[in-house]
Amino acid sequence: MITGANRGIGLELTRQSVAMGDEVIACCRTPMEATELMALAHETDLISILGLDVRIERDMKPIAAGFSRRLDLLVCNAGVLSGRGGLQDPEQKSRNVEDTLMTNVGGVFFTARYFLPHLLAGSEERGDAPGKLAIISSQMGSSTRSGSNAIIYRASKAAATNLARSLAIELADRNIAVGAYHPGWVQTEMGGQNAAITPADSAAGLLKRFAELSMKTSGIFEDYNGLAIPF
Ligand SMILES: NC(=O)c1ccc[n+]([C@@H]2O[C@H](COP(=O)([O-])OP(=O)(O)OC[C@H]3O[C@@H](n4cnc5c(N)ncnc54)[C@H](OP(=O)(O)O)[C@@H]3O)[C@@H](O)[C@H]2O)c1
């Protein structure tokens, strides 16, 4: 299951996952407008589209409760960057700050909370491995690599990485491995056209990282190439 799967990195993760034969629950907040995702879903039975706005807990709760599939990987990818400047950036206004924190931090928290039963889904009774949790963070949230641009986004990603670390500890006794990932600087609406890598390269690297994630590496923060990112 991938959140924010209608464009950018999430869409490419979806495309490459189904190309490998995996079933994907592709989440997006407005399925009727997700034209690229819908076109992809028309080509294969492996994609199910699920309407999900990660900020809205009151909707997510019943959506997750009515969902009956077992998840072997939950990718919290949905994210926003509104306000690319610092203290004087007029875009850093309360509505945008709230949106950024609710999407990038609250959204991860609520998605993990309400879809946790689907990661577990009978694994304890059967004695097999439950699903894993991958959180798409950013090296911009690394306090070792601080900068003065997009400072609310940076703070939100620092919190997303921190959340991944906390969840790795909270979920350890349920055998759920949790990783935080920097996808690279990627050519998407968020990353811009001058970004260093394509969504295809980012997604290919990330899918390898997710496959490698285990209880031994739970709590990891690394980039799409597997390089450790300092906190
Ligand atoms: N691109 C980069 O260079 C880069 C670098 C580091 C980290 N990241 C992270 O990678 C992730 C994906 O970014 P991207 O580059 O693919 O960005 P993008 O092209 O802007 O796509 C963002 C995705 O998140 C979805 N989204 C936003 N708010 C949402 C909400 N409330 N509920 C559900 N979905 C929501 C968007 O859906 P809508 O179409 O409905 O808006 C879209 O599908 C983000 O977490 C981002 O912070 C990106």
Side-chain angles (χ1 to χ4, degrees), residues 3-11 27-30 33 52-56 76-81 99 102-104 136-140 153 157 181-192 195:
T3 64
N6 56 305
R7 60 187 167 94
I9 298 165
L11 179 65
C27 304
C28 58
R29 48 182 165 176
T30 40
E33 291 170 17
L52 194 75
D53 186 324
V54 300
R55 295 167 305 180
I56 306 181
C76 294
N77 165 75
V80 287
L81 194 177
D99 186 36
M102 272 309 293
T103 307
N104 298 358
I136 306 301
S137 186
S138 170
Q139 69 170 353
M140 287 178 76
Y153 175 80
K157 289 300 188 181
Y181 299 91
H182 170 59
W185 181 26
V186 192
Q187 293 152 12
T188 62
E189 270 184 48
M190 185 184 292

Side-chain angles (χ1 to χ4, degrees), residues 72-74 130-135 168 176-181 206-222:
D72 53 16
L73 176 66
L74 171 55
K132 307 188 245 188
L133 178 60
I135 295 172
I176 294 184
V178 184
Y181 299 91
L206 288 170
L207 289 171
K208 283 186 196 144
R209 305 286 78 74
F210 303 159
E212 283 169 8
L213 175 64
S214 71
M215 288 310 294
K216 281 193 184 135
T217 60
S218 191
I220 203 164
F221 181 25
E222 61 182 11

